[in-house]
Amino acid sequence: MVERVLEIGGYAAGYCGRLFARAGADVVRIQMDSVGPAWASDEAMSAFLHGGKRLLSTADGQLIAELANAADILIVEAQTANALSAMDFDGFSTPVKLAMTPFGRTGPKCNWNASGNVMLAMGGYTHLMGDPDRAPLSLPGHYLEFQTAALGYTAINACRMAGQHKVIDLGMFETLLALSQFTSVRWQCAGEQRERHGSDFWYVVPSNLFVCADGWVYLNIVPSFWDPLTVFLERPELLLDSRFLTNDLRMENREALHAIVGEILAPLSKAEIFARAQACRIPLGVVQSFAEVLDDPHLQARSFFAHSNARDVQPWRIPENPYCINGERRTVGLGPITSEQVPLWRA
Amino acid sequence: MAGVNGPLNGIKILDLTHVWAGPLGVRFLADLGAEVVKVEAPYGRGPQQFPSTPIGGWIGKADPEEPWNRNALFTKLHRNRQSFCVDLKQADGRNAFLELVRVADVVIENFSATAMRSMGLGYDALALANPQIIYVSMPGFGATGPYSERVAFGPVVEPMSGLTNMLGYGPDEPRNSALAIMDPVAAVHSAAAVVEALRQCQITGAGAYVELSLHEGGVTYSGPWLLDHQMGHTPVCMGNRHPNMAPHGIYPCLGQDQWLALACVDQMQWRALCGLIPGLAQESDLQQRQKAADDIDRKIRAWTQNQSKAQASELLQASGIAAGPVNGAADLFADTQAQFRNFFVPYEQFDTPMPGNPIHMAGLASHQWTQCPDLGANNHDVLSQWLGYGDAQISALEDAGVLFNRPPD
């Protein structure tokens, strides 16, 4: 039986619903006047998030309650705990209900006002990004919302699989804290606070952005790749250079090593560097423009982008899920379906 | 041997993941109640002697006796699991693993695209042993395509996702997050994919091959920008500003390297900000504020730099404005919200607090959590309880050097 999913809220709710739509669920999204400022145009956000869903523009509380009570799954994203309660979230009888809020439903900050940059700052991410002698950088985009949504999707499906009726309380702040790399353990166990170092990963050397003839490339040379790096650089004598014998020594002499790497890469093109990295099997990525990402031969060979079908006006290429099951991309129609096209379910 | 209480009780997972993305994804599944056996190579946690202190330090104390069991970063990622340390390159080890596969629900790994196949343990081999197995493979660039053989870590995948066009101080000053941010994207989606495949298996009875690419996780994250680009609104790097909010930034506060994040999400918040900070024009709409962003930022800086980040946050929040401190590690543990919700949990050795589970629901309880097991600590239990092996059988494997509980000399 196709599951009925009711989705209310902003970009986290939208992404959670997107995962359900791609898994074959019947997703009805309640369209609201404003869901907060996005990092892309409304048109782009809608095409990315809402393909295959039914959109219903209504503020009719009774209708929303009817839909919620008839749904198998309710996804709600609210700006605060109070805003969630004001929607009568607790009154709905949906078997599995997910509440996504910035700080969770309880606690002294559960009604704090939030934005993406505020959450990323409070969650420990911003402190680590950017140059040490300048303002830290906030992470652009909807990382916070999409990550919270995918966790919510996991929790909902776990409950559905177990046949359990549950209310799930998911705070975005805690999502960020849970996704820290080693910020918290380094503080607790090594007594050291992790700091920001520009693009330099710092703990393995060289790991940094380097300028080349037509852009930038990123190297990330963990110790086991030091030997092949010297082949890649066509500087085998570096293997015997006493400044670079171990990662600790390379950390001590990072500026000298970065200068050598930078000088070698500067005259080469991204394509040359990328090809050479593949031949030498070292971890290297090139900075791709959006056009280059869209035309990337690897992504094309893997049919990663969904293409438009006859119903769609524009031939947009939409990134699909980063996972596929049995080789299937869970493509859905690229545009949302209006509620008039398919009758709504009711309790 | 069952997992902690949770909706995934009864699900058996064989976890062959390493580094960050894979273990983090599995941690979410273990926290939801799955019974997870970490299948580890004898050198999976490093050698007997570490050349230097690991990146996250040691659990408990410096220079621990068994350093491979005290790596704090590894420990953080591996609660609620059992450790089964086996040499899969030996026939007996491989056979024992395949027997575990027969009774497991999920096998998950994040090796290179060919590693498991080269050991004769690819999906085809595992599906022969157990047609219902969910096999999750997480190679950096996926299992197919021209880059599938490339070496991939989070930081090198990031620039190929499109994110570097947006992250930096401006279009000519791109930055890498240096946080390997594609790893947690893949981690969270791996957990989502496992449960989606399990549900599908529950309905169809068939197993599944799940493939997840670190690279594609990053490109999905850039999805809205990629669409905007196609629609003719090519997004550009704006530093800490935002295309649809102003002001939106990171502002200096009292003290060295102390900062505050602030955003006016709507007109109401802007008006409230005008009530706090002198010299701001209350009637300005978003477009006007974007044009005057330099001047507005200057006035906000003049206000924030005389206050602590905590003070400024409280004042702004009291007026209904989205604002908060830029927290370093020490601040995270001191945060009253994290403390109220008991986010950091001291279940680990020496009562070391570890990040908790953001998923809250009735029935999940962190007091049941078990510490990261020592290497090979559960070899006996796994073989006896999952497969019914007797003591003599297990001893024979130990004597033959197939099972390990410390890295080889």
Side-chain angles (χ1 to χ4, degrees):
Chain A
M1 193 185 113
V2 174
E3 282 186 311
R4 298 166 166 184
V5 178
L6 184 67
E7 170 197 317
I8 305 170
Y11 309 111
Y15 192 77
C16 195
R18 176 187 139 113
L19 291 168
F20 275 107
R22 276 162 173 72
D26 180 7
V27 181
V28 172
R29 171 176 173 78
I30 304 295
Q31 280 287 75
M32 294 148 66
D33 288 343
S34 171
V35 288
W39 278 91
S41 65
D42 289 348
E43 192 184 12
M45 294 305 292
S46 179
F48 180 69
L49 294 174
H50 303 323
K53 299 175 187 174
R54 287 189 278 164
L55 306 184
L56 178 64
S57 293
T58 184
D60 179 345
Q62 195 176 341
L63 174 58
I64 292 171
E66 272 190 70
L67 288 166
N69 293 333
D72 303 299
I73 293 161
L74 175 64
I75 300 164
V76 178
E77 177 189 2
Q79 278 304 305
T80 62
N82 281 351
L84 184 80
S85 299
M87 289 181 194
D88 198 25
F89 179 81
D90 293 315
F92 302 137
S93 62
T94 327
V96 179
K97 300 192 285 188
L98 168 67
M100 291 183 286
T101 52
F103 292 96
R105 301 191 67 187
T106 58
K109 293 175 182 163
C110 70
N111 287 308
W112 269 35
N113 288 288
S115 59
N117 68 331
V118 168
M119 301 308 299
L120 288 157
M122 295 181 70
Y125 273 56
T126 308
H127 178 78
L128 302 176
M129 288 187 290
D131 297 349
D133 53 350
R134 298 169 78 178
L137 286 171
S138 193
L139 184 69
H142 293 282
Y143 174 85
L144 170 74
E145 293 97 328
F146 297 170
Q147 291 285 76
T148 305
L151 275 182
Y153 179 75
T154 304
I156 291 170
N157 272 325
C159 294
R160 292 291 291 164
M161 192 168 70
Q164 295 179 353
H165 289 212
K166 292 283 183 186
V167 178
I168 303 160
D169 172 15
L170 191 48
M172 297 181 187
F173 175 57
E174 291 178 22
T175 296
L176 290 173
L177 296 181
L179 300 180
S180 79
Q181 190 179 22
F182 52 85
T183 308
S184 54
V185 286
R186 188 172 172 81
W187 174 250
Q188 281 293 331
C189 299
E192 291 175 18
Q193 178 153 290
R194 191 178 177 187
E195 303 293 350
R196 60 185 177 279
H197 303 283
S199 299
D200 190 337
F201 187 73
W202 198 254
Y203 303 98
V204 290
V205 181
S207 289
N208 215 333
L209 268 182
F210 292 92
V211 179
C212 64
D214 55 353
W216 302 77
V217 299
Y218 196 89
L219 273 175
N220 184 215
I221 304 301
V222 300
S224 54
F225 289 94
W226 170 243
D227 290 11
L229 177 74
T230 63
V231 177
F232 165 82
L233 296 173
E234 298 178 346
R235 294 285 299 274
E237 72 275 15
L238 293 176
L239 279 178
L240 302 174
D241 192 317
S242 59
R243 296 171 297 170
F244 308 135
L245 291 176
T246 65
N247 188 60
D248 285 348
L249 287 168
R250 293 192 286 275
M251 284 182 72
E252 279 177 32
N253 296 293
R254 85 175 61 230
E255 285 185 19
L257 184 54
H258 284 174
I260 293 168
V261 174
E263 190 180 334
I264 292 169
L265 297 183
L268 303 175
S269 70
K270 289 195 291 189
E272 285 173 306
I273 294 170
F274 198 53
R276 208 201 272 192
Q278 177 142 3
C280 297
R281 288 193 56 76
I282 61 159
L284 178 144
V286 298
V287 175
Q288 291 186 325
S289 67
F290 291 125
E292 287 170 330
V293 174
L294 287 163
D295 292 335
D296 186 286
H298 180 72
L299 295 170
Q300 290 190 356
R302 289 173 54 76
S303 304
F304 178 62
F305 295 108
H307 290 258
S308 62
N309 54 34
R311 186 167 56 78
D312 299 300
V313 179
Q314 291 289 341
W316 311 135
R317 281 168 283 174
I318 300 187
E320 282 305 323
N321 285 343
Y323 58 87
C324 53
I325 299 178
N326 292 328
E328 282 180 39
R329 295 281 181 199
R330 299 300 190 90
T331 305
V332 297
L334 298 188
I337 310 161
T338 64
S339 57
E340 288 75 29
Q341 288 174 268
V342 186
L344 284 168
W345 22 261
R346 300 287 181 91
Chain B
M1 279 253 300
V4 300
N5 191 43
L8 293 183
N9 282 167
I11 299 299
K12 288 185 160 82
I13 297 178
L14 296 173
D15 169 16
L16 288 88
T17 63
H18 65 303
V19 195
W20 189 22
L24 179 60
V26 176
R27 192 181 77 186
F28 289 116
L29 301 170
D31 287 354
L32 286 169
E35 183 179 346
V36 181
V37 169
K38 177 91 182 166
V39 180
E40 303 191 68
Y43 284 112
R45 299 189 190 187
Q48 286 197 8
Q49 298 299 322
F50 275 51
S52 55
T53 304
I55 209 164
W58 304 111
I59 285 286
K61 57 182 179 181
D63 302 323
E65 283 176 13
E66 295 181 343
W68 63 91
N69 285 329
R70 303 291 175 262
N71 181 336
L73 181 52
F74 183 94
T75 301
K76 182 195 80 164
L77 293 167
H78 289 92
R79 64 173 169 249
N80 299 330
R81 287 175 174 88
Q82 299 158 77
S83 173
F84 178 64
C85 184
V86 62
D87 184 354
L88 291 175
K89 290 178 180 159
Q90 295 191 49
D92 286 344
R94 189 173 169 279
N95 289 340
F97 174 70
L98 284 171
E99 285 193 59
L100 290 172
V101 170
R102 283 191 191 100
V103 295
D105 300 288
V106 177
V107 172
I108 179 167
E109 51 89 0
N110 61 338
F111 297 122
S112 69
T114 54
M116 289 293 278
R117 278 203 306 272
S118 69
M119 288 193 287
L121 295 171
Y123 175 59
D124 291 347
L126 270 51
L128 266 182
N130 178 358
Q132 286 193 306
I133 199 74
I134 308 291
Y135 180 101
V136 184
S137 174
M138 302 171 65
F141 284 103
T144 61
Y147 306 161
S148 62
E149 298 289 319
R150 297 190 76 96
V151 183
F153 296 127
V156 301
V157 165
E158 183 175 314
M160 301 187 69
S161 72
L163 174 60
T164 314
N165 295 290
M166 301 301 290
L167 176 59
Y169 290 98
D172 299 326
E173 292 189 280
R175 293 291 180 275
N176 189 289
S177 71
L179 296 178
I181 218 155
M182 300 306 148
D183 282 72
V185 172
V188 168
H189 285 85
S190 72
V194 166
V195 185
E196 184 178 320
L198 282 168
R199 288 205 70 197
Q200 188 175 294
C201 179
Q202 191 180 41
I203 295 163
T204 65
Y209 171 65
V210 179
E211 187 208 339
L212 187 144
S213 149
L214 200 69
H215 177 213
E216 288 168 3
V219 181
T220 301
Y221 170 69
S222 294
W225 293 318
L226 290 167
L227 278 153
D228 243 357
H229 172 79
Q230 295 172 75
M231 292 168 177
H233 327 288
T234 294
V236 291
C237 176
M238 302 174 72
N240 280 321
R241 290 186 180 156
H242 189 285
N244 292 304
M245 281 188 256
H248 181 280
I250 307 293
Y251 303 92
C253 292
L254 271 182
Q256 190 180 359
D257 201 28
Q258 299 294 301
W259 305 86
L260 170 96
L262 180 152
C264 281
V265 173
D266 54 30
Q267 199 67 22
M268 197 185 300
Q269 292 196 13
W270 168 249
R271 287 196 202 101
L273 187 69
C274 294
L276 272 182
I277 296 181
L280 299 177
Q282 198 164 10
E283 64 282 1
S284 295
D285 63 15
L286 176 63
Q287 278 188 332
Q288 291 167 321
R289 299 201 299 271
Q290 284 173 323
K291 276 186 191 157
D294 287 344
D295 183 53
I296 292 170
D297 281 349
R298 206 164 22 248
K299 285 169 177 155
I300 296 173
R301 272 198 300 273
W303 185 81
T304 57
Q305 66 192 9
N306 295 314
Q307 304 183 61
S308 73
K309 62 186 181 185
Q311 242 177 351
S313 301
E314 293 284 351
L315 274 171
L316 289 158
Q317 284 287 346
S319 294
I321 300 154
V326 174
N327 284 330
D331 303 316
L332 300 178
F333 288 96
D335 185 273
T336 54
Q337 183 70 10
Q339 288 181 350
F340 182 91
R341 286 168 67 90
N342 299 315
F343 180 75
F344 292 101
V345 188
Y347 64 89
E348 198 40 82
Q349 296 175 74
F350 306 102
D351 293 331
T352 310
M354 290 286 171
N357 182 6
I359 298 167
H360 295 252
M361 66 170 92
L364 292 184
S366 59
H367 65 78
Q368 295 182 338
W369 288 355
T370 57
Q371 298 172 353
C372 171
D374 285 352
L375 181 73
N378 309 102
N379 289 346
H380 191 283
D381 289 347
V382 169
L383 291 173
S384 64
Q385 293 177 26
W386 279 39
L387 301 179
Y389 277 26
D391 290 346
Q393 225 175 339
I394 297 168
S395 296
L397 287 173
E398 287 169 342
D399 295 344
V402 173
L403 303 180
F404 293 79
N405 56 19
R406 58 188 293 126
D409 293 332

